[in-house]
Structures are given as C-alpha cells and as structure tokens.
C-alpha cells in the first residue's frame, strides 16, 4: 500500500498482481460504506468517473499508512483524520 495526493491511496496484491486506487474521504468514512475505485487520467479525454491530473489537490495527502499482517484491515492517516478500512464481512 502507498499513499498519494488528493487523499488517494493505492493497494497492490502480490499474488494476482492487481492494484486499485482508492480515496480516503468523509464520504467513504460512513460505517459499512463501500469504497469505489478511483482512476486518474493523464490524457485530455476523461471518462465519467475519472479525475484529471490537473484537478488533483496537492494540499490533501496521505501522511501515514499501516496494514495488519494477517487480516484485511488498513489504517490511513490523511491531514487530521484517521480512516480504518476493513474487507466486507458477511
């Protein structure tokens, strides 16, 4: 896992070589809220849910990240907020 600007963070799965970019925000901090993957486009054309590089907020940034070694739970610190994310449990 790595942090970035605009309160984005990216997770990587070593086994499947998949990665996903997510956003730590107040909208996603509601209990049981599902995180939606975010995409940043570098070209001039963007799709509906994509964010352009020019619109990134460099004042918002992930300061610290941590993850549990055996459970699917992560902690993300952004500005003065701490977010805890856990895989959906049935």
């Amino acid at each position: 896992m790595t942090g970035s600007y605009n309160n984005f963070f990216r997770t990587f799965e070593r086994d499947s070589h998949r990665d996903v970019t997510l956003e730590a925000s107040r909208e996603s901090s509601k209990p049981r809220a599902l995180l939606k993957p975010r995409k940043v486009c570098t070209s001039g054309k963007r799709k509906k849910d994509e964010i352009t590089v020019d619109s990134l907020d460099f004042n918002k940034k992930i300061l610290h990240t941590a993850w549990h070694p055996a459970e699917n739970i992560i902690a993300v610190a952004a500005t003065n907020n701490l977010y805890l994310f856990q895989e959906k449990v049935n």
Side-chain angles (χ1 to χ4, degrees):
M1 178 172 55
T2 184
S4 185
Y5 292 103
N6 208 65
N7 283 356
F8 287 167
F9 62 97
R10 194 167 193 157
T11 60
F12 301 88
E13 289 186 38
R14 288 189 285 181
D15 297 336
S16 64
H17 301 286
R18 292 187 309 179
D19 63 281
V20 64
T21 301
L22 302 163
E23 182 180 10
S25 67
R26 292 198 184 268
E27 291 79 34
S28 62
S29 67
K30 295 180 177 124
R32 309 227 190 284
L34 296 177
L35 294 179
K36 291 181 264 182
R38 303 301 302 244
K39 292 187 181 181
V40 178
C41 71
T42 55
S43 63
K45 295 181 180 179
R46 71 177 183 99
K47 295 179 182 172
K48 179 184 173 187
D49 294 334
E50 291 182 336
I51 296 173
T52 63
V53 174
D54 297 332
S55 67
L56 293 177
D57 186 352
F58 294 105
N59 292 316
K60 293 180 181 177
K61 50 191 158 231
I62 301 297
L63 301 173
H64 299 283
T65 60
W67 59 90
H68 192 280
E71 301 291 328
N72 286 328
I73 186 169
I74 60 174
V76 177
T79 54
N80 62 347
N81 296 304
L82 175 65
Y83 300 94
L84 297 173
F85 298 105
Q86 183 176 5
E87 185 177 43
K88 184 178 178 181
V89 179
N90 293 333

